[in-house]
């Protein structure tokens, strides 16, 4: 009876304290080179201190279903003012917002990428017992995780690559018109754990844009979408995003040869220029509303502008010689 009461107490406390610690965004297959751009993002109430939570990735393919491919303990982490925790590497994302807590994991920089693109489950687990990598947490392959006593699955999301015997844990199986997701995004205002409608997903043509031919059936058409590492998910009501929308950004000339002018973005003081495959090319300060681009090769780029509050906007830029 004593152990039963202890288990019920742990279960109650974990659900009460961590009911709003959620998976928020996942990028597993960036266009081009996977490393160092894969990441997993978590959200919670600002100021919450996280303890005894494990961020786990479970293999879903039938031959090794339930194997824990990745287990990252989240201990003594206090969320900042935006409530976001970025788990990835700053090698790929050196300019994350200052209010975002960053767990810099160099494993995400290994050549070829760290996260598998096949049948996979991403999970947040409360546990007083360590969740360890390379252990099988579904020994009988029944699709139910065999977690330690008192452990609680707080949130999960996953997908199958078509293997009819694949196992996806937690009941949230994302699908799309073709293939498996490159990335998945939680709707900004949907904080329901273990819920498929809380997510949209698809393949990516670059780090900012989804391929509209390969998306989930609930994809938010007609609204701005995209991957937003370390920042609030979109679409939203403008929280954390500049009041100037991407469609209203007036940079010229575009295509550009020597300079890009940003006349209606006076509040933005710094810029970052990314190549078409999402690699940071250059960052710096904006001088006299102009950015010098004549030293860059011809091609498609993405220009990101930021202000002192780390709010940002992005737009496409073509450079021609």
């Amino acid at each position: 009876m004593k152990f039963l009461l202890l288990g019920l107490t742990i279960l109650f406390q974990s659900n009460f304290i961590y009911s709003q610690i959620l998976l928020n965004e996942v990028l597993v297959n960036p266009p081009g080179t996977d490393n160092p751009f894969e990441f997993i993002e978590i959200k919670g109430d600002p100021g919450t201190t996280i303890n005894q939570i494990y961020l786990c990735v479970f293999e879903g393919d039938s031959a090794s279903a339930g194997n824990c491919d990745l287990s990252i303990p989240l201990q003594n982490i206090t969320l900042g003012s935006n409530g976001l925790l970025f788990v990835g590497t700053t090698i790929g994302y050196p300019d994350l917002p200052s209010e975002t807590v960053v767990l810099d994991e160099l494993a995400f920089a290994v050549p070829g990428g760290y996260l598998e693109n096949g049948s996979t489950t991403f999970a947040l687990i409360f546990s007083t017992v360590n969740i360890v990598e390379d252990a099988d947490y579904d020994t009988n392959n029944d699709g139910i995780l065999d977690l330690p006593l008192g452990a609680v699955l707080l949130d999960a999301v996953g997908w199958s690559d078509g293997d009819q015997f694949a196992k996806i844990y937690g009941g949230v199986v994302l699908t799309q018109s073709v293939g498996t997701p490159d990335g998945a995004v939680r709707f900004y205002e949907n904080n329901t754990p273990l819920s498929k409608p809380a997510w949209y997903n698809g393949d990516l043509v670059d780090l900012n844009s989804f391929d509209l031919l390969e998306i989930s059936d609930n994809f938010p058409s007609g609204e701005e979408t995209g991957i937003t590492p370390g920042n609030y998910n979109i679409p939203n009501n403008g929280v954390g995003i500049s009041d100037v929308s991407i469609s209203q950004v007036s940079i010229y000339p575009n295509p550009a040869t020597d300079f890009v002018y940003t006349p209606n973005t006076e509040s933005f003081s710094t810029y970052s220029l990314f190549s078409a495959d999402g690699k940071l090319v250059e960052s710096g300060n904006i001088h006299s509303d102009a950015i010098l681009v004549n030293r860059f090769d011809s091609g498609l780029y993405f220009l990101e502008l930021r202000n002192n509050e780390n709010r940002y906007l992005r737009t496409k830029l073509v450079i021609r010689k």
Side-chain angles (χ1 to χ4, degrees), residues 4 8 15 46 58 65 70 75 105 114 120 122-123 132 149 153 194 204 206 217 219 236 261-262 277 289 309:
L4 175 60
L8 290 174
N15 280 327
F58 292 100
L70 174 68
Q75 305 284 4
E105 291 284 338
Y114 196 59
T120 304
F122 304 87
V132 297
L149 178 65
L153 181 65
L194 299 168
L204 293 162
D206 53 62
D217 57 10
F219 197 86
N236 60 36
Y261 295 92
T262 60
D277 62 359
D289 298 330
E309 298 176 352

Side-chain angles (χ1 to χ4, degrees), residues 191-206:
N191 293 323
T192 304
L194 299 168
S195 170
K196 180 177 179 178
W199 295 85
Y200 70 88
N201 53 276
D203 277 19
L204 293 162
V205 295
D206 53 62

